[in-house]
């Protein structure tokens, strides 16, 4: 199968990544219509970086071949309905001539990159499909075996039913013969009371004695047969109970427990076969319920028959033991079938509405739906959950909070056979916390939502069922959410099936933790691009202070993860990781991560090593080390000395990107022209970010609000001038008669000790739109903290002033705003002699 045919079968994130590969310089329409032509070229023989060989001639030949094939296709499109397609292909040909006519090797570079990424995505999808198919094959094999065993048990139940009927017939026959024998004995007794001289007495007496002896023999034989049939039926039921108990244990303790475990892992991003698998589990539970209930009824009828005809073959009462066993199996099945289909949120905020769905997997069997039970929800603490776990029959004496709208009646859906209740409007009104234990804070305290109901089966069984949710952390403010999420992630990732609520190990191997973080990252960012080897090593270095391989079993404690702050910081490892995850998963930045435009997990030293060999105006995107949820741009730019240097722009947060998106900020800055991607590919910024630029149409509906023309901020970088103690900063014309210059935003240079005296770069933000009427402008300037070395050794503080001038007709408003800088005095830099500094500055 051709590569393009396989590409067209991709779905989800893989397909979105394919779509992001194509743009005006290589349209997806050309890839589609000329797939065989593109894939038939010997791309591996051409090196686009080798300009000295015959590669350029070969590339020129391929370009001419493409143009020739496009022209041929246009000549074939002569029908009127093909006009638009012919026009579009002509535009593609013209664009290829304009873009690649003088640089055909660039066409080779683009096509090779696209084909390589397509092949990688197809291979990844194939590996996933193989793994998925293998898992499905194993699941299908187990399902087939379970269904076959259920069929066999149903057959045995039917056989037992037939044996029971035969026994009933034999017992009824025995009773009839017994009554006939009693009648004969009664007549014999009557004749024996007659006088000896009665001429017919002896003859009748002998005849009745012979009949009585025949009946007696027949009854002894019948009794023996009934006892044998009872024993055979008892053995049949015993074998049925053993097999039934084993199969029920496999379904409930294995298959159902796996589904419950998958619910916990789903919070961390694991795929969960939820609905289909739960429907399969309900099908099994329904068949188990039929078998158990029918077997129990058979045992009850057998007990009744034994009471009607009490033959005692042995001292051991096997039938009573079987009755107890089958009743226990029935109660266990119903209790386990009471499951929480949709879990309540595991980070639960008070006074906030939440929901959950509870389901009884026996559906319409056992006639529970004829009188549907009422389910009640309550919140209990971890200690209370442990007590209930140790004694299943113990009632709930107290709760740990008050839930509004905690009760609802189960509903039966005849078409689907589902018996469930959907809580839609629950709300936690208040919470009662336990005393704090040592260093544990409220975001580490776990609760659970307990659902319970009671109903009757038949006339002799009262059933009480309950099921508690996954652990819940209760918060009262949004700023507690990140730490609460850490407790839940740790619990869901490292808890085990059948644990005591809610035990989880305090230390786990680094390999398991980084896999959990990778899974969580992919889930939250909705991306197949997770944490690569570089990111995992970077995170290990951030947590431990040194690099570890991803498969390392180095233990990580909960305290290291989210209790103790990182070295030199006032936040924990999880708080930092969660911050950048929240930044990346936002709709403004998530496509950039999927396209590999954000490297993110790279330190300043590695960043410098990657950018220094590059020409000027190359940059990359990395996460800030010093700020939670910060993204910074590291760029190669000019400096006073020759060769340029690497600078880090002030980190921006999600709040900043909501004001102006990252692609637009990059477009604004002329000093940022080529981005280094996570795949170590250099792309022109317009090619990489162009499709994410905002256009006038995006803001067209917002251009005029209440008679005011909307303004827009733009960002620039002003490079240092020839002297090291001066900052350049002219005004930028944003269109029309409006001019603005705002306070400069410095960057952090990554340089050698001798270069640390350089004045950092400056980022300027200014409004871009032109008001058409006189209006008042509200200029707001905030003090910004910068990650800069301490320059007090220079003998003076760097202070700057800029003027913000807005002209409307004949009105001019000017404001002088100081640029406030807070420097990071935790960094140790060598001092510089003042005379040497002044000498360098003057030159």
């Amino acid at each position: 199968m051709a590569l393009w045919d396989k590409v067209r079968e991709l779905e989800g994130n893989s397909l979105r990544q394919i779509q992001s590969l194509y743009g005006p310089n290589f349209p997806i329409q050309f890839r589609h219509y000329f797939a065989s032509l593109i894939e038939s070229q010997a791309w591996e023989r051409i090196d686009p970086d080798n300009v000295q060989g015959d590669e350029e001639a070969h590339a020129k030949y391929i370009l001419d071949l493409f143009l020739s094939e496009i022209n041929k296709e246009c000549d074939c499109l002569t029908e009127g309905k093909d006009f638009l397609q012919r026009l579009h292909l002509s535009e593609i040909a013209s664009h290829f001539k304009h873009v690649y006519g003088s640089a055909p090797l660039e066409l080779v570079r683009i096509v090779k990159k696209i084909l390589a990424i397509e092949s990688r995505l197809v291979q990844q999808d194939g590996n996933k499909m193989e793994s998925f198919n293998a898992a499905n094959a194993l699941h299908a094999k187990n399902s087939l075996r379970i269904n076959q065993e259920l069929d066999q048990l149903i057959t045995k139940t039917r056989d037992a039913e037939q044996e029971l009927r035969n026994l009933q017939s034999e017992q009824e026959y025995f009773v009839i013969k017994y009554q006939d024998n009693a009648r004969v004995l009664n007549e014999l007794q009557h004749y024996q009371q007659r006088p000896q001289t009665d001429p017919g007495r002896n003859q009748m007496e002998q005849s009745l004695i012979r009949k009585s002896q025949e009946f007696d023999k027949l009854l002894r034989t019948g009794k023996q047969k009934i006892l044998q049939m009872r024993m055979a039926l008892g053995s049949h039921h015993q074998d049925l109970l053993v097999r039934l108990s084993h199969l029920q244990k496999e379904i409930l303790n294995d298959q159902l427990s796996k589904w419950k475990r998958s619910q916990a892992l789903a919070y961390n991003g694991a795929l969960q076969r939820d609905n289909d698998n739960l429907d399969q589990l309900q099908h099994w539970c329904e068949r188990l319920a039929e078998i158990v209930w029918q077997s129990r009824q058979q045992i009850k009828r057998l007990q009744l028959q034994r009471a009607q005809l009490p033959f005692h073959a042995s001292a051991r009462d096997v039938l009573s033991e079987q009755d107890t066993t089958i009743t226990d199996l029935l109660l266990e099945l119903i209790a386990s079938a009471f499951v929480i289909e949709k879990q309540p949120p595991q980070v639960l905020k008070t006074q906030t509405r939440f929901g959950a769905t509870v389901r009884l997997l026996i559906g319409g069997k056992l006639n529970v739906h004829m009188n549907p039970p009422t389910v009640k929800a309550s919140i209990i603490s971890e200690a209370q959950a442990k007590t209930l776990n140790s004694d299943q029959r113990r009632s709930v004496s107290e709760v740990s909070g008050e839930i509004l709208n905690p009760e609802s009646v189960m509903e039966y859906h005849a078409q689907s056979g589902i018996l469930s209740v959907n809580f839609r409007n629950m709300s936690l009104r208040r919470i009662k916390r336990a005393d704090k234990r040592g260093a544990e804070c409220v975001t580490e305290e776990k609760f659970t939502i307990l659902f319970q109901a009671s109903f009757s089966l038949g006339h002799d069984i009262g059933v009480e069922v309950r099921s508690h949710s996954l652990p819940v952390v209760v918060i009262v403010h949004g700023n507690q959410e990140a730490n609460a999420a850490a407790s839940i992630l740790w619990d869901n990732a490292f808890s085990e099936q059948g644990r005591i609520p809610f035990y989880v190990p305090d230390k786990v191997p680094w390999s398991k933790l980084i896999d959990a973080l990778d899974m969580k990252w992919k889930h939250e960012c909705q991306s197949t691009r997770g944490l690569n080897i570089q990111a995992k090593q970077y995170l290990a270095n951030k947590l431990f202070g040194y690099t570890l391989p991803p498969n390392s079993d180095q233990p990580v404690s909960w305290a290291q993860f989210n209790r103790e702050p990182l070295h030199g910081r006032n936040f924990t490892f999880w708080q930092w990781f969660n911050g950048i995850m929240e930044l990346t998963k936002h709709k403004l930045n998530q496509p950039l991560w999927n396209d590999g435009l954000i490297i993110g997990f790279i330190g300043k030293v590695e960043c410098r090593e990657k950018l220094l060999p590059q020409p000027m105006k190359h940059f990359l995107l990395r996460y800030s080390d010093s700020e939670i949820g910060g993204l910074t741009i590291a760029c190669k730019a000019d400096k006073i000395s020759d060769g340029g240097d690497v600078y880090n722009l002030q980190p921006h947060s999600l709040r900043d990107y909501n004001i102006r998106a990252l692609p637009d900020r990059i477009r604004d800055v002329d000093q940022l022209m080529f981005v280094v991607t996570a795949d170590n590919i250099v792309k022109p910024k317009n090619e990489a970010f162009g499709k994410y630029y905002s256009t006038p149409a995006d803001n067209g509906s917002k251009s005029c609000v209440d008679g005011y023309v909307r303004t827009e901020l733009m960002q620039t970088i002003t490079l240092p001038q020839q002297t090291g103690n001066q900052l350049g900063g002219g005004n930028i014309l944003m269109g029309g008669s409006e001019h603005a210059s705002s306070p400069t935003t410095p960057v952090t240079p990554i340089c050698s000790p001798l270069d640390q005296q350089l004045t950092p770069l400056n980022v300027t933000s200014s409004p871009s739109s032109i008001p058409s009427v006189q209006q008042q402008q509200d200029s707001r300037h905030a003090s910004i903290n910068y990650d800069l070395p301490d320059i007090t050794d220079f003998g003076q503080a760097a202070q700057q002033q800029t003027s913000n001038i807005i002209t409307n007709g004949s009105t001019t408003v000017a404001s002088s705003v100081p640029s406030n800088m807070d420097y990071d005095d935790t960094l140790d830099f060598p001092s510089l002699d003042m005379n040497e500094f002044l000498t360098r500055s003057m030159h």
Side-chain angles (χ1 to χ4, degrees), residues 4 23 32 43 172 302 425 593 630:
W4 184 246
H32 177 73
W43 301 104
E172 290 174 354
L302 190 57
N425 297 302
W593 171 264

Side-chain angles (χ1 to χ4, degrees), residues 564-589:
E564 300 170 352
L566 293 172
H567 179 69
R569 306 296 181 192
N570 60 354
F571 47 79
T572 65
F573 173 84
W574 165 256
Q575 289 169 349
W576 179 86
F577 183 85
N578 183 71
I580 61 172
M581 186 167 62
E582 292 293 325
L583 172 75
T584 308
K585 77 178 187 180
H586 193 271
K587 62 181 180 180
L588 296 175
N589 300 322

